[in-house]
Amino acid sequence: MIRRLIPHPGLSVFLALFWLVLANSWTVGSLIVALVLGITVPLITRPWWPDRPRVARPWLLVPYAVLVLWDVIVANFQVARVILFLPKDRIRSTFIAVPVDLTAPEAISILAGTITMTPGTVTADWAADGRTLLIHALHAPDPDAVRDDIKTRYEARLKRIFG
């Protein structure tokens, strides 16, 4: 019964808390709006959620998020260094094909989002074969090193998280 009303409890809680943070108000009215959003959005979007994502080790998401946050901070300084101190003719922008071994769509989406969130790189395309991400790097003197770093730093962790 409760699963019909709240098909994705984690999403419901997240939406409600996110609304309260955005509203920056912990009044009864804000709480009611948060609860309405937390219940109605998952109900409305239920047809597009055929299966629940299978996360084998959810506790590993926290260290992954900390790693990504750290990498975003470090990458900001690296991008600033490239933009401010490298002459234009020495910047090596390139596209890099990254073969993906992940099979869960949620894991692939997290990988693509992680790459895009990290300054200096963006996920540009997903190959039709479903096995390769096309990444654009602002400065990659060694594209193979960037590809290997993505696979070992992010993809390997996501494999452990999603099983």
Side-chain angles (χ1 to χ4, degrees), residues 138-156:
L138 171 68
H139 181 63
D142 184 3
D144 292 336
V146 173
R147 182 197 63 231
D148 294 344
D149 194 40
I150 288 170
K151 291 195 67 65
T152 57
R153 198 159 179 83
Y154 303 127
E155 186 183 28

Side-chain angles (χ1 to χ4, degrees), residues 19-20 25-36:
W19 173 259
L20 290 171
S25 171
W26 293 83
T27 63
V28 173
S30 291
L31 183 59
I32 290 171
V33 171
L35 291 173
V36 168

Side-chain angles (χ1 to χ4, degrees), residues 10 37-38 42 45 52 56 61 73 75 106 108 124-125 132 139 153:
L37 283 172
T45 61
R52 297 193 60 165
L61 284 168
I73 292 167
E106 297 82 13
I108 296 167
D125 199 6
T132 308
H139 181 63
R153 198 159 179 83

Side-chain angles (χ1 to χ4, degrees), residues 91-157:
I91 296 175
R92 301 289 176 239
S93 292
T94 188
F95 284 96
I96 304 164
V98 178
V100 177
D101 299 325
L102 298 168
T103 56
E106 297 82 13
I108 296 167
S109 294
I110 291 173
L111 177 62
T114 299
I115 293 165
T116 298
M117 278 190 324
T118 307
T121 56
V122 66
T123 303
D125 199 6
W126 176 242
D129 68 359
R131 306 300 318 155
T132 308
L133 286 174
L134 183 63
I135 309 301
H136 182 269
L138 171 68
H139 181 63
D142 184 3
D144 292 336
V146 173
R147 182 197 63 231
D148 294 344
D149 194 40
I150 288 170
K151 291 195 67 65
T152 57
R153 198 159 179 83
Y154 303 127
E155 186 183 28
R157 285 177 170 84

